[in-house]
């Protein structure tokens, strides 16, 4: 593949949703290709990065995986502030988690930026036998609120890469990463201290 004309961008992405919905599991599947049946509940938040190539652009996702436990709710603005994208996750077998997802959407609509790319993920799609929220219910809510919607499974990997690729495709094109030339540029003139020594 030719590297000429390749653009690089970075995008802060935040995951929000009820505890146990599968936020960490989705991130772990996407970043490391792993899944754990006994994934530990997140404390505070976790930070991971992953880079995707979409057409002529590489997108480096800077991912904040937040803790769903209610006692961490007040920390959330630190993580969604300045975010380019948000994934709101619920568990299709848990109606309460769907209600919680709607609350997050409302909070982001009130406080988030207007250009935020928002995705709704109905996770644990592999547990269809225990399903409480029909696909159409998630899809309709997403359509009404201008989010895009996918049912995912961190366990089987269904739609996990697709979710992040779709976000990458939807990001506005005007967020070039800072070119890292290895040079440090400064506004200040280089100090030319006259040394008293050595003449
Ligand atoms: N069957 C199934 N289980 C899943 C899936 N995703 C996550 N789990 C399980 O659900 C439990 C909770 O997953 P986590 O990824 O820790 O959920 P979380 O949203 O990060 O939870 P908090 O960190 O507490 O907010 C774990 O036992 C996972 O193994 C999935 O797609 N299918
Ligand atoms: Mg977690």
């Amino acid at each position: 593949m030719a590297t000429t004309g390749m653009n690089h961008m970075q995008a802060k992405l935040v995951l929000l949703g009820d505890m146990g919905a599968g936020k960490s599991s989705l991130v772990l599947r996407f970043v490391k290709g792993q899944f754990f049946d006994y994934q530990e509940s997140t404390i505070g938040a976790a930070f991971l990065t992953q880079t995707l190539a979409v057409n002529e652009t590489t997108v480096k996702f800077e991912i904040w995986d937040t803790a769903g436990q209610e006692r961490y709710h007040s920390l959330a603005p630190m993580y969604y502030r300045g975010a380019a994208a948000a994934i709101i996750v619920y568990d299709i077998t848990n109606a309460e988690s769907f209600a919680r997802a709607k609350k997050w959407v409302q909070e982001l609509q009130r406080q988030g930026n207007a250009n935020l790319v928002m995705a709704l993920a109905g996770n644990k799609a592999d547990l269809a036998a225990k399903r409480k929220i029909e696909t159409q219910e998630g899809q309709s809510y997403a359509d009404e609120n201008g989010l895009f919607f996918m049912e995912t499974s961190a366990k089987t990997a269904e739609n996990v890469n697709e979710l992040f690729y779709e976000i990458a495709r939807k990001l506005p094109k005007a967020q070039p990463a800072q070119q890292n030339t290895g040079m440090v540029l400064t506004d200040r003139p280089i100090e030319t201290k006259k040394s008293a020594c050595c003449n």
Side-chain angles (χ1 to χ4, degrees):
M1 185 197 281
T3 53
T4 44
M6 205 73 178
N7 299 310
H8 305 284
M9 57 192 273
Q10 55 200 25
K12 178 178 173 182
L13 182 153
V14 64
L15 285 97
L16 299 164
D18 207 0
M19 68 175 287
K23 300 176 293 300
S24 300
S25 297
L26 285 169
V27 173
L28 210 58
R29 170 60 76 189
F30 173 58
V31 173
K32 299 186 177 168
Q34 297 175 333
F35 176 81
F36 299 107
D37 280 314
Y38 301 98
Q39 176 66 38
E40 279 182 39
S41 190
T42 305
I43 295 167
F47 180 75
L48 293 97
T49 68
Q50 176 67 298
T51 301
L52 283 183
V54 180
N55 301 324
E56 303 292 279
T57 306
T58 68
V59 179
K60 182 186 180 191
F61 280 119
E62 299 174 333
I63 304 169
W64 286 101
D65 167 26
T66 66
Q69 291 180 48
E70 188 52 42
R71 63 183 149 135
Y72 296 114
H73 188 157
S74 62
L75 298 179
M78 289 203 306
Y79 302 110
Y80 63 66
R81 197 174 297 136
I87 303 175
I88 293 132
V89 183
Y90 68 92
D91 168 354
I92 65 157
T93 72
N94 182 332
E96 227 172 87
S97 78
F98 187 56
R100 189 83 190 80
K102 293 177 175 178
K103 290 261 160 57
W104 279 119
V105 172
Q106 286 165 8
E107 179 165 341
L108 288 177
Q109 285 170 339
R110 277 198 312 268
Q111 327 234 357
N113 86 66
N115 301 319
L116 184 70
V117 175
M118 263 201 264
L120 181 65
N123 191 42
K124 309 197 186 181
D126 58 290
L127 299 179
K130 295 205 243 164
R131 177 191 287 280
K132 296 280 162 36
I133 305 298
E134 292 305 318
T135 305
Q136 192 50 49
E137 214 179 321
Q139 183 71 65
S140 301
Y141 180 76
D143 290 347
E144 285 158 19
N145 288 276
L147 320 180
F148 82 91
F149 174 70
M150 278 186 189
E151 285 193 347
T152 57
S153 170
K155 184 166 186 169
T156 67
E158 178 189 349
N159 273 346
V160 176
N161 286 342
E162 288 80 354
L163 176 68
F164 285 88
Y165 271 99
E166 194 54 32
I167 290 169
R169 270 195 289 271
K170 287 182 189 302
L171 289 171
K173 293 288 167 273
Q175 298 181 339
Q178 281 184 322
Q179 291 299 316
N180 191 344
T181 58
M183 260 191 295
V184 179
L185 301 175
T186 160
D187 286 330
R188 284 173 305 170
I190 292 158
E191 281 180 58
T192 51
K193 255 192 203 150
K194 288 260 162 57
S195 167
C197 126
C198 319
N199 248 335

